[in-house]
């Protein structure tokens, strides 16, 4: 397998990361980068499908899926990353505070700077160069190697769901999210929605002010991102704690809007395996009913998910430590770095990924990719060049071991 590494130059993934940063790809607006990636893979001999992904508002965007064919005698593997970048209402987060051009892909102090550098154009570049190294090596593949550059992970995994609906069912999958090179066996899911508090619009008493009433909602679901006690322990939520995801489930109010006689709060609830959208809806409804019973003027509507455009992300059980894709990835990381990786929820604890959708249809998944996240959202988003190179080599070795 070491022969595959002869086909990787350290600058390959670094320069591809920079090229991808220079192509804006805000959530729901990813067609340009999808077409670029399709062309890149096609020029190198991959079988390429440019998939049109219908969006729930009636528009569409495009994602690129490449494939190196095997002879069918062994398992298949998918390397998957998302093309959407984390924006703030369609713009760069705190653009006026950036020192670097968000689309300039500057290099400074061993880091690559730009919107999406961390989440997750470095991961995309690493998997693409890893796949290209396997192609260049000429090693005969027993199973297919699929390279999936999917859209809208931050929009609930719409691209991954479309890929699944198209019939894609590899045996194994590595999602190359920014995980500080940890081997991620499990992720939280999320349930997001809105609570609309209803009032009356008039300038005299009695006046039911929804802005005042919404304080009771915030109090009922605070503090932010602190583990919520179970119902049997005095809390309002039904669940069983998961040993690999300590500190969860947790929740935060993420936004507040007021218009005329309605105040709307948007929430984000990070869930653990065993919880579902339906169970969360029931528990939140019960919590809101407690407020209503104590305050006859309190009126509300609970809407889950937060929009028709964006589905929620389910929580799935951990991938087995002895799964072949996990074993080979751990071995590959150790070969490249000389050290054992951290295994479990790892650096991405509390974050979601498209793995939840792939696991839901029986694909054995793991997360592994370059990038340390100190805070999110991030001004001057950046990724370590060294981690990009390490991830590329480890992905190539793991894929080679599984497929050849």
């Amino acid at each position: 397998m070491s022969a595959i590494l002869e086909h990787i130059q350290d600058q390959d993934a670094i320069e591809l990361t920079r090229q991808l940063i220079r192509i804006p790809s805000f959530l729901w607006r990813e067609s340009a980068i999808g077409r670029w990636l399709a062309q890149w893979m096609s020029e190198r001999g991959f079988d390429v499908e440019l998939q049109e992904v219908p969006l729930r508002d009636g528009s569409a965007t495009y994602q690129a899926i490449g494939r190196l064919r095997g002879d069918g005698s062994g398992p298949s593997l998918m390397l998957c990353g998302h093309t959407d970048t984390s924006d703030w209402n369609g713009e760069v987060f705190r653009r006026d505070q950036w020192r670097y051009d968000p689309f300039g892909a500057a290099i400074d102090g061993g880091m690559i700077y730009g919107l999406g550098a961390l989440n997750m154009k470095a991961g995309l570049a690493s998997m693409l160069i890893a796949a290209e190294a396997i192609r260049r090596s000429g090693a005969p593949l027993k199973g297919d190697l699929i390279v999936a550059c999917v859209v809208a992970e931050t929009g609930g995994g719409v691209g991954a769901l479309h890929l699944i609906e198209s019939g894609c069912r590899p045996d194994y999958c590595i999602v190359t999210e920014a995980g500080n090179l940890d081997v991620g066996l499990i992720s939280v899911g999320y349930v997001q929605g809105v609570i609309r508090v209803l009032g009356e619009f008039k300038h005299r008493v009695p006046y039911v002010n929804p802005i005042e009433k919404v304080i009771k909602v915030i109090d009922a679901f605070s503090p932010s991102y602190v583990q919520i006690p179970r119902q049997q322990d005095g809390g309002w939520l039904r669940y069983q704690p998961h040993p690999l995801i300590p500190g969860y489930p947790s929740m935060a109010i993420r936004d507040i809007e007021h218009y005329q006689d309605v105040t709307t709060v948007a929430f984000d609830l990070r869930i653990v395996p065993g919880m579902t959208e339906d169970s969360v809806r029931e528990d939140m409804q019960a919590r809101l009913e407690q407020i209503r019973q104590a305050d006859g003027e309190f009126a509300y509507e609970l809407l889950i998910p937060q929009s028709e455009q964006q589905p929620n992300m389910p929580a799935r059980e951990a991938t087995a430590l002895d799964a072949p894709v996990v074993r080979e990835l751990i071995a590959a990381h150790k070969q490249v770095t000389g050290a054992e990786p951290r295994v479990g929820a790892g650096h991405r604890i509390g974050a979601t990924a498209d793995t939840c959708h792939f696991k839901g249809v029986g694909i054995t998944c793991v997360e592994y990719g370059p990038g340390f996240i100190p805070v999110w959202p991030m001004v001057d988003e950046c990724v370590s060049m060294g981690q990009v190179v390490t991830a590329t080599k480890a992905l190539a070795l793991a894929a080679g071991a599984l497929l050849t």
Side-chain angles (χ1 to χ4, degrees):
M1 291 301 101
S2 296
I4 292 175
L5 298 186
E6 297 175 3
H7 299 275
I8 297 175
Q9 300 296 318
D10 287 0
Q11 283 299 117
D12 291 347
I14 292 170
E15 288 308 310
L16 183 54
T17 300
R18 299 181 75 198
Q19 285 180 289
L20 296 177
I21 289 169
R22 293 183 184 115
I23 306 171
S25 53
F26 292 111
L27 175 64
W28 315 121
R29 294 179 281 165
E30 301 161 64
S31 295
I33 198 169
R35 292 188 175 96
W36 193 95
L37 288 164
Q39 183 67 24
W40 189 94
M41 289 188 284
S42 180
E43 289 173 352
R44 287 158 178 79
F46 290 74
D47 291 341
V48 177
E49 179 185 4
L50 184 63
Q51 290 187 339
E52 182 182 54
V53 182
L55 302 178
R56 300 184 184 190
D57 65 357
S59 64
T61 190
Y62 288 85
Q63 62 187 20
I65 314 299
R67 188 184 297 261
L68 298 176
R69 302 278 178 183
D71 64 16
S73 64
S76 55
L77 170 68
M78 179 166 67
L79 304 177
C80 181
H82 65 82
T83 56
D84 50 310
T85 54
S86 294
D87 61 280
W88 198 260
N89 295 324
E91 301 295 338
V92 178
F93 177 68
R94 293 185 177 174
R95 175 67 182 89
D96 60 325
Q97 298 180 21
W98 281 59
R99 296 173 298 156
Y100 302 91
D101 179 353
F103 305 106
I107 292 178
D108 189 2
M111 308 295 286
I112 309 170
Y113 287 84
L115 185 64
L118 181 72
N119 187 27
M120 58 171 295
K121 291 182 176 180
L124 282 170
S126 293
M127 73 185 201
L128 286 160
I129 297 301
E132 172 63 2
I134 290 174
R135 187 195 66 81
R136 288 178 182 174
S137 75
L141 302 183
K142 295 182 178 180
D144 288 0
L145 175 58
I146 303 163
V147 183
C149 307
V150 298
V151 301
E153 187 273 342
T154 60
V158 169
L161 288 168
H162 181 80
L163 181 60
I164 290 166
E165 290 166 3
S166 74
C168 186
R169 294 292 190 280
D171 296 287
Y172 306 123
C173 175
I174 303 173
V175 173
T176 60
E177 284 276 10
N180 203 33
L181 303 178
D182 295 340
V183 175
L185 305 182
I186 190 168
S187 299
V188 297
Y190 67 63
V191 174
Q192 296 177 340
V194 298
I195 301 165
R196 302 175 72 238
V197 180
L198 312 178
E200 297 175 350
F201 185 71
K202 57 186 177 181
H203 299 286
R204 56 184 171 81
V205 294
Y207 171 36
V208 179
N209 188 342
I211 300 174
E212 295 174 355
K213 300 295 183 184
V214 84
I215 295 171
K216 298 184 178 184
V217 174
I218 296 171
D219 287 343
F221 295 113
S222 293
S224 295
Y225 292 135
V226 172
Q227 185 171 16
I228 301 166
R230 298 181 297 171
Q231 281 187 359
Q232 55 264 52
D233 299 323
W236 56 272
L237 199 55
R238 293 170 294 168
Y239 68 94
Q240 291 298 322
H242 198 289
L244 292 180
I245 321 177
Y248 293 88
S250 65
M251 177 180 172
I253 301 297
R254 295 285 294 272
D255 194 16
I256 301 178
E257 294 181 350
H258 178 77
Y259 181 68
Q260 294 184 349
D261 59 353
V262 178
T263 303
T264 302
V265 295
F267 64 85
D268 172 64
L269 174 58
R270 301 282 155 152
I271 63 173
V272 299
M275 300 173 69
T276 66
E277 185 177 294
D278 287 340
S279 73
V280 167
R281 183 183 292 105
E282 292 171 2
D283 291 345
M284 291 193 74
Q285 192 88 40
R287 184 68 160 166
L288 292 165
E289 280 297 305
Q290 290 175 350
I291 301 174
R292 190 186 65 78
Q293 290 170 12
D295 180 354
E297 293 182 331
F298 180 77
Y300 71 92
E301 296 174 347
L302 173 63
L303 304 176
I304 299 175
Q306 64 181 358
S307 72
E308 294 184 358
Q309 178 100 330
Q310 182 169 332
N312 285 312
M313 303 279 266
R316 307 293 187 188
E317 281 295 343
T319 301
L321 187 60
D322 62 355
V325 66
V326 176
R327 288 201 316 266
E328 297 298 350
L329 191 51
I330 291 172
H333 177 93
K334 187 174 181 179
Q335 182 176 337
V336 175
T337 67
E340 295 281 350
R342 185 165 63 159
V343 181
H347 178 62
R348 288 183 51 76
I349 189 168
T352 58
D354 282 327
T355 46
C356 69
H357 297 310
F358 298 132
K359 284 183 177 183
V361 293
I363 301 169
T364 303
C365 288
V366 64
E367 297 168 25
Y368 179 87
F372 173 81
I373 306 173
V375 65
W376 200 257
M378 189 177 179
V379 172
D380 286 333
E381 184 178 346
C382 58
V383 66
S384 160
M385 292 191 296
Q387 283 208 1
V388 175
V389 173
T390 296
T392 302
K393 293 178 178 179
L395 290 168
L397 288 175
L402 287 165
L403 296 173
T404 62

